[in-house]
Amino acid sequence: MPNAKLLIANWKMELSATESRALAADLAGRTVGLGLGSLTVAVCPSFEALAPVAEALRGSDLLLGAQDVFWEGSGAFTGEVSPDGLKELGCRLCLVGHSERRRVMGETDEMVGLKATALLKVGMMPVICVGETAEERESGRRDETVVRQLRAALSGLPSSSAEESPAVTVAYEPVWAIGGGKPVDPDGAAEACRLIRDELSGIDGRLGVSFRVIYGGSVDVDNLESFLSRPEIDGALVGSASLSADGFLSLAKIASVLSPRI
Ligand code: PGA
């Protein structure tokens, strides 16, 4: 049985708190009665917008996510945000290791691993972003990069607590495909997602973790179906095309049709 699909909006630092709240309220209102079926839809606003967006989403089926987190629970870490702090605001998931953070903020594989583990410990789903740069791709190092990032991110996975299997999402986001209107061809995306699934299959049985593998990078209404119709791809992480209610709802409609019936 294929996994239910997952559609995640990454609003990056594109919207103010006021704009984020207005967009969230619009989405929340317009998804009522839309019949998303088994599709899960989440939005990840910037930190300052989390509280107003949580308020706007109350009572809707849309989940709240954050774009980053720190791995400690509390302490003298000026400027950082804890997993429990995010959970208290209503976040159910959190992106980790987005390529913009790796590139601009110097986030390392090890830091991404600490963040993913910290989220799982408080019961939040990490959305672990992996993907090669253009240079790594051109020199034939796509697989090596993706596997290295993935192994580091999962190195601290807590062993299964038996009652509830923790959920982890891995987003394959080739750096060169992000924000440029130049997505990977769907065969290439499916191939990389298959590689990720193969890598995860050992962990899955051993620790009882449930995984989903999604694609991100220049996803839009014209190409979403070509990604989601692949059995290897359980969803999409969307940046630019998630910034308008009309655009994101169109994506949600396409994804809900492609998500298995429950
Ligand atoms: P994009 O961004 O859809 O604008 O390419 C995706 C992402 O960075 O997560």
Side-chain angles (χ1 to χ4, degrees), residues 68-69 75 106 121 135 171 213:
D68 186 34
V69 67
K121 282 194 183 139
E135 193 210 330
V213 182

Side-chain angles (χ1 to χ4, degrees), residues 7-256:
L7 184 66
I8 305 176
N10 175 11
W11 292 345
K12 308 193 181 190
M13 204 180 72
E14 301 281 10
L15 305 173
S16 68
T18 307
E19 289 165 339
S20 301
R21 180 164 43 97
L23 177 53
D26 202 359
L27 291 171
R30 290 166 65 186
T31 43
V32 173
L34 200 65
L36 295 176
S38 66
L39 174 70
T40 300
V41 181
V43 299
C44 301
S46 48
F47 283 138
E48 77 277 22
L50 283 171
V53 168
E55 183 65 40
L57 296 183
R58 193 155 296 146
S60 79
D61 292 331
L62 305 181
L63 303 185
L64 181 66
Q67 298 175 15
D68 186 34
V69 67
F70 190 56
W71 54 82
E72 295 288 350
S74 64
F77 303 106
T78 304
E80 293 298 339
V81 178
S82 72
D84 273 320
L86 294 179
K87 203 173 164 188
E88 199 180 318
L89 286 172
C91 292
R92 305 269 297 275
L93 58 138
C94 180
L95 310 183
V96 289
H98 190 281
S99 66
E100 286 149 17
R101 297 207 55 83
R102 293 180 192 261
R103 182 170 48 82
V104 184
M105 258 55 85
E107 210 160 286
T108 63
D109 288 346
E110 193 201 352
M111 289 157 84
V112 176
L114 290 168
K115 291 178 179 198
T117 306
L119 288 167
L120 283 168
K121 282 194 183 139
V122 302
M124 280 174 65
M125 179 173 77
V127 179
I128 299 165
C129 303
V130 298
E132 80 285 359
T133 61
E135 193 210 330
E136 286 163 336
R137 183 181 188 84
E138 274 146 30
S139 57
R141 288 182 291 135
R142 178 194 71 181
D143 294 6
E144 177 196 318
T145 305
V146 166
V147 168
R148 188 202 72 233
Q149 292 177 338
L150 192 58
R151 286 188 185 162
L154 300 176
S155 59
L157 269 194
S159 43
S160 146
S161 63
E163 291 120 53
E164 215 183 303
S165 69
V168 171
T169 292
V170 178
Y172 171 60
E173 292 211 307
V175 181
W176 51 273
I178 293 175
K182 194 177 76 167
V184 181
D185 76 276
D187 288 338
E191 191 182 281
C193 290
R194 196 157 48 241
L195 170 78
I196 293 168
R197 298 187 102 87
D198 288 347
E199 190 62 32
L200 294 172
S201 57
I203 302 169
D204 204 341
R206 208 171 67 241
L207 295 181
V209 182
S210 68
F211 287 102
R212 277 199 278 204
V213 182
I214 65 176
Y215 168 76
S218 300
V219 168
D220 62 24
V221 279
D222 296 324
N223 63 31
L224 180 66
E225 183 171 354
S226 67
F227 294 113
L228 295 197
S229 55
R230 305 288 167 137
E232 296 90 345
I233 304 179
D234 299 321
L237 177 55
V238 189
S240 323
S242 71
L243 294 172
S244 81
D246 286 346
F248 193 56
L249 287 170
S250 305
L251 294 174
K253 281 183 204 152
I254 295 168
S256 72

